[in-house]
Amino acid sequence: GFRVMPMDDLLWKYGLHGERSPGELPTAYLDAPVELLRLPQLSQGLLAPRHLTLMRLLGQETVTFEALRVRLGANADDLLRDFVALYLTRALALRKPERG
């Protein structure tokens, strides 16, 4: 009687709706610049327009959580859950330091 679903779909839904999901995000992701590594491999229909806008912006530049929140005019709690979902699906990463 269990429903079968792809793991990324499950992680995405947990990130967005799980009661304890915000605790899954390492605190560094709220302070340091982040980047989009890849688009999450999700079933069609799971992405809201705000997710597409968020991923487009993250794909264009590395940015901090707060700068992104201001730029999008987003609610901090909603953006946090979006970050968690991206992190859990291995789509979000801390910006790698530049070698010099």
Side-chain angles (χ1 to χ4, degrees):
F2 289 100
R3 183 174 161 201
V4 177
M5 68 175 16
M7 182 59 77
D8 277 356
D9 287 6
L10 178 65
L11 293 170
W12 183 262
K13 287 182 177 192
Y14 172 72
L16 294 179
H17 307 292
E19 184 177 315
R20 296 183 181 177
S21 69
E24 302 293 336
L25 186 69
T27 57
Y29 282 78
L30 299 177
D31 300 319
V34 295
E35 62 187 348
L36 187 69
L37 290 178
R38 63 178 183 85
L39 295 175
Q41 303 297 309
L42 301 171
S43 296
Q44 194 171 13
L46 288 181
L47 294 173
R50 77 170 197 266
H51 300 133
L52 299 173
T53 301
L54 172 62
M55 287 187 273
R56 183 178 46 79
L57 291 174
L58 284 170
Q60 292 173 350
E61 61 184 291
T62 58
V63 65
T64 64
F65 177 88
E66 183 59 22
L68 193 56
R69 187 195 65 74
V70 169
R71 187 166 177 190
L72 292 171
N75 173 290
D77 291 334
D78 290 342
L79 186 58
L80 172 60
R81 288 187 172 276
D82 294 344
F83 261 49
V84 172
L86 287 169
Y87 171 77
L88 291 175
T89 57
R90 300 165 315 280
L92 189 67
L94 297 174
R95 183 183 71 190
K96 295 176 183 156
E98 295 182 21
R99 296 182 182 215

